[in-house]
Amino acid sequence: MPNNQKQYLWWQDGIIYQIYPRSFQDTNGDGIGDLRGIINRLDHLKWLGIKAVWISPIYPSPMADFGYDISDYTGIWPVFGNMADFDELLQEVHKAGMKLILDLVPNHSSDEHPWFLESRSSRDNPKRDWYIWKDAKPDGSPPNNWLSVFGGSAWEWDEKTKQYYYHAFLVKQPDLNWRNPEVEKAMHDIMRFWLDKGVDGFRVDAMWHMVKDAQWRDNPRNPEYKDYMATYEQLLPVYSTDQPEMHDIVARMRQVLDQYDERLMIAEIYLPVHKLVAYYGTHQKEAHLPFNFMLISLPWDSRLIAAGIDEYEGALPTGDWPNWVIGNHDQPRITSRVGQGQAGIAAMLLLTLRGTPTIYYGDEIGMRDVPIPPEEVRDPQGFNMPGKNLSRDPERTPMQWDDSTNAGFTKGEPWLRIDRSYVRRNVQAQRGDNHSPLVLFKKLITLRQQEQSLCTGAYRPVYSDHQMIAYIRQAEGQPAFLIVLNLTHRPCYFTPPIHFTGVIVIDTLPEQEQVSVKDKIELFGDEGMVVKLDHWESVSPTSK
Ligand code: NOJ
C-alpha cells in the first residue's frame, strides 16, 4: 500500500469467518467438533484469505442452547477440549497471522451457573438481584405479557421462592440483571480474563436484549403477525429490548476493550438500520461493528436490496465502519434461501460492498440446509415450536471437507446428519474446480486483498432496476471497479448512466472472465461480474 494511503485496522480490511465448533472438525471420534479440530483446519482459512476467526461459545454448558447457556464463563467445555487446547488454538491462530474472536453471552447465563443457583436459593441471597425476579400478578399470572424468543411466556415460576424469573430465551437461560452494577463488574472481569490471554475481541450475543423497560410495561400486539411466524413475533418487543440505557452499558464495555490494543467488539443486534447504527455510539464510543443483517432479512429483490444498501451507507455515522453478513448459525443458509445460482451473487455482494464481510463456515462451498427428520431435531427453537420449520439444525450440519466417510468431519457418528451431496460438494473437490463456489470465494477474496478500491474504497451506486444492481468501488488514486449483479434467473441488460471501458476480472460464469466490455453489458440469469475499469465518466457530467 502506498505510504500516503490511509491505514486501516485489521477488522476493517480483513474478513471474518464464523466457526460453529460442534460442526467444524472432530478429532477424537465422538461425532462433535472440537478445538483441536479447528487447529487442524486453520490451513483452510489461511488459504482462503481469512483475517479473523469467530468461534461460537466454547465454554462449559449444559448445552440446552448449544453453548449459549453458559455455566462457567472462563472455562472450556470438556467435549471441545481444555484450556491448554484453547491456548494452543490462540497461539496457532496468531502464528498464522489471524485473529481470534470469542462469543460473549452477557444477557443470560445457564440456570446451572453458580450465580443462578445462588440467586434462586432464597429471596435474601446476595445474588438474588443478579437475575430478574418479580412477583406474580394478584391472579398468579406472570408480571407482564412478554414472550420468550423460543416460544411461550418469558417468565418462569419458581415454586421455592414464589416469584417469577425472566428469560428472553429458554427457561434454562435466565436473564442477568444489567441494572445491577455487580453483574456489570463481573462481566467486565470475564472480558478481561480473555483479553489478558490475548483474545482479539468479542461477538456480543443478543446485545439489544440486555436492558429491559424499568416499568415492565406490556409489549403491544404485532399487527403483522402470521401463524407461520415464531410465536415470539405475536408482540412487538418495544419494552423488552433496545432500551435507551443500553448505550451507556455498551460504552462501558467498549472502555474495557479500549484498555487493550486494537481489540474488536461486534454486536449481535437485529434492529432496523436507524436503530442499529445507534450502537456505534456517538464518536465511536460503543460497538465497532454492530452486525448488519440486512442481506439476511431483506427479501431477495434487487430494488429492495439496492435501496437497503443506500439506506445503510447513508445512515452510517461519520467515521464508523460498515459490515455485511449473509449467513450465521441462526439463519437458513444463503444457498437454501436464494438458490445455488443466486448464492454466487450473494457472495459477490458480500465481498465487494464497502465494509467488513463475515462468512459463515461452509457457505464458501455452497453448503445447503439439510432436512432433519423430526425425531432427530436437536435445536430447542425447533422442538419448542414444532410444525413451523424454525429449527436451526439444518444450517448447523457438519462441514464437508472431502469425499471420505462423513465428509472428513468425524470418524465417529456425527452429532447431526451430513448432507449426502458431500461426495461432490466438499472443500477438496472444489479447490480444483474453477466453476465451484469455493473458487469464486477465493477469487473474490484475493482480488479484494490486492485492490484497495475493493477493500476500503468508496461505494457509489450506479444503477438498479427490478432485476439488477450496479455500483462502483474506488479508492483515491486507484483503479475503479464496476460490479454488476443480476438478482434474477433471466438475462438482463445493463444500460448504465455512465460511459465506461473495462475488463471482466471475476464472473460467476468464469468463461466470461477477461472479456472486454464497453458502455453496455448483457448478463445471463444468475450472473454477476466485477469489471476493472480503464475509464469511466457519467453520462451527465454534473453527477460525477
Ligand atoms: C443469539 C445466538 O446467536 C443464538 O444462537 C442463541 O440461541 C441466542 N442468542 C440466545 O443466546
Side-chain angles (χ1 to χ4, degrees):
M1 200 193 299
N3 283 340
N4 59 353
Q5 294 249 325
K6 178 175 176 339
Q7 295 291 322
Y8 287 85
L9 298 169
W10 62 267
W11 50 267
Q12 295 178 310
D13 60 11
I15 294 170
I16 301 171
Y17 185 97
Q18 180 191 356
I19 288 179
Y20 196 65
R22 277 186 92 82
S23 296
F24 202 57
Q25 178 67 62
D26 175 27
T27 55
N28 61 0
D30 63 3
I32 298 175
D34 44 47
L35 298 183
R36 299 223 70 80
I38 301 177
I39 297 174
N40 292 354
R41 292 296 188 180
L42 287 179
D43 281 354
H44 171 64
L45 307 184
K46 186 81 186 131
W47 171 81
L48 198 55
I50 298 305
K51 183 71 207 180
V53 185
W54 150 37
I55 44 178
S56 285
I58 50 169
Y59 318 104
S61 160
M63 292 288 152
D65 187 20
F66 295 107
Y68 285 93
D69 48 321
I70 298 170
S71 50
D72 172 4
Y73 283 93
T74 53
I76 303 293
W77 189 46
V79 178
F80 285 155
N82 56 33
M83 199 52 94
D85 297 323
F86 175 80
D87 290 339
E88 192 178 327
L89 171 66
L90 182 60
Q91 202 182 7
E92 291 302 316
V93 167
H94 285 165
K95 230 196 261 171
M98 296 189 283
K99 307 280 183 180
L100 189 65
I101 301 168
L102 291 187
D103 223 303
L104 183 75
V105 188
N107 178 68
H108 48 269
S109 71
S110 162
D111 65 340
E112 297 179 33
H113 193 293
W115 296 341
F116 188 72
L117 296 179
E118 278 191 52
S119 183
R120 80 181 319 171
S121 65
S122 75
R123 284 199 187 197
D124 52 16
N125 183 279
K127 293 232 165 30
R128 183 66 171 180
D129 186 52
W130 279 42
Y131 292 83
I132 297 166
W133 294 96
K134 292 266 170 265
D135 290 335
K137 284 188 177 161
D139 66 355
S141 62
N144 65 23
N145 70 351
W146 296 0
L147 297 172
S148 153
V149 173
F150 292 144
S153 168
W155 295 96
E156 180 70 5
W157 179 249
D158 181 57
E159 195 44 49
K160 184 172 171 214
T161 58
K162 306 262 185 273
Q163 276 190 318
Y164 282 97
Y165 70 84
Y166 178 71
H167 57 92
F169 297 92
L170 295 176
V171 170
K172 285 188 69 62
Q173 292 168 298
D175 279 43
L176 284 153
N177 176 13
W178 273 83
R179 293 182 187 272
N180 182 330
E182 289 174 21
V183 168
E184 181 164 15
K185 184 181 173 304
M187 205 53 74
H188 288 181
D189 288 347
I190 288 160
M191 290 171 73
R192 282 191 205 97
F193 172 85
W194 294 107
L195 292 168
D196 286 342
K197 271 188 172 289
V199 160
D200 300 287
F202 301 105
R203 171 268 191 190
V204 182
D205 187 72
M207 185 184 272
W208 79 118
H209 280 268
M210 283 166 66
V211 180
K212 295 67 162 136
D213 178 39
Q215 300 175 54
W216 302 97
R217 287 168 281 188
D218 278 353
N219 279 326
R221 300 242 144 240
N222 174 7
E224 313 276 319
Y225 178 74
K226 306 274 181 312
D227 283 351
Y228 61 82
M229 295 177 176
T231 49
Y232 174 71
E233 299 194 44
Q234 288 169 334
L235 304 179
L236 296 172
V238 295
Y239 292 117
S240 48
T241 62
D242 190 33
Q243 295 301 294
E245 294 92 328
M246 199 50 224
H247 294 284
D248 285 343
I249 290 175
V250 187
R252 289 195 293 270
M253 289 172 88
R254 172 66 179 267
Q255 282 164 20
V256 174
L257 281 153
D258 282 351
Q259 282 152 18
Y260 299 78
D261 274 358
E262 283 190 24
R263 308 298 166 100
L264 170 67
M265 174 161 45
I266 306 175
E268 187 211 24
I269 298 170
Y270 285 89
L271 285 175
V273 167
H274 64 285
K275 293 187 176 181
L276 177 74
V277 297
Y279 284 82
Y280 283 104
T282 26
H283 311 299
Q284 290 95 49
K285 287 284 189 290
E286 295 183 34
H288 297 96
L289 299 177
F291 259 149
N292 165 16
F293 296 126
M294 182 178 283
L295 297 178
I296 287 178
S297 349
L298 282 176
W300 199 248
D301 174 299
S302 51
R303 282 161 303 195
L304 296 178
I305 290 183
I309 297 167
D310 285 340
E311 185 192 359
Y312 181 62
E313 279 275 348
L316 266 182
T318 315
D320 284 319
W321 191 248
N323 75 92
W324 299 93
V325 182
I326 56 172
N328 63 37
H329 63 295
D330 295 327
Q331 305 293 338
R333 282 194 182 268
I334 188 74
T335 307
S336 297
R337 199 161 72 81
V338 303
Q340 249 171 57
Q342 284 297 308
I345 303 296
M348 203 169 259
L349 252 181
L350 176 75
L351 294 163
T352 59
L353 283 171
R354 191 176 75 94
T356 306
T358 298
I359 298 173
Y360 182 50
Y361 86 95
D363 279 354
E364 75 274 29
I365 54 167
M367 275 175 63
R368 306 177 293 181
D369 284 356
V370 181
I372 306 291
E375 63 280 8
E376 291 177 26
V377 168
R378 307 289 301 270
D379 176 29
Q381 182 165 279
F383 53 69
N384 284 2
M385 288 175 278
K388 295 198 178 212
N389 198 7
L390 289 174
S391 168
R392 298 167 294 179
D393 294 332
E395 63 259 23
R396 296 175 175 181
T397 61
M399 179 68 175
Q400 298 156 204
W401 293 106
D402 56 39
D403 63 2
S404 67
T405 315
N406 294 328
F409 165 69
T410 181
K411 298 227 177 312
E413 187 58 35
W415 76 280
L416 207 54
R417 49 168 76 194
I418 299 179
D419 185 348
R420 280 195 205 101
S421 76
Y422 79 81
V423 287
R424 59 192 162 76
R425 192 178 281 126
N426 65 61
V427 173
Q428 195 183 48
Q430 291 194 9
R431 272 181 80 148
D433 175 1
N434 195 29
H435 293 260
S436 66
L438 183 58
V439 170
L440 177 65
F441 268 83
K442 170 76 179 160
K443 285 193 278 197
L444 287 165
I445 293 172
T446 306
L447 187 67
R448 190 186 159 91
Q449 285 166 333
Q450 286 164 353
E451 297 288 349
Q452 198 65 39
S453 290
L454 284 170
C455 192
T456 55
Y459 164 84
R460 172 190 288 265
V462 170
Y463 178 80
S464 65
D465 64 19
H466 63 293
Q467 285 190 281
M468 51 163 296
I469 303 177
Y471 49 89
I472 284 178
R473 298 287 316 284
Q474 184 164 29
E476 230 180 294
Q478 298 287 310
F481 288 82
L482 171 68
I483 294 94
V484 192
L485 306 167
N486 181 353
L487 272 77
T488 70
H489 309 308
R490 297 188 52 230
C492 69
Y493 304 88
F494 176 49
T495 39
I498 58 171
H499 290 303
F500 66 89
T501 55
V503 176
I504 303 173
V505 284
I506 302 182
D507 198 298
T508 54
L509 309 175
E511 35 294 291
Q512 309 272 83
E513 287 169 3
Q514 303 315 322
V515 170
S516 297
V517 285
K518 182 173 184 302
D519 289 347
K520 286 187 179 171
I521 292 173
E522 305 81 42
L523 297 108
F524 281 87
D526 298 328
E527 184 177 3
M529 57 176 70
V530 180
V531 179
K532 186 167 188 175
L533 296 175
D534 306 317
H535 162 83
W536 75 278
E537 64 189 13
S538 300
V539 171
S540 138
T542 49
S543 62
K544 186 174 169 184

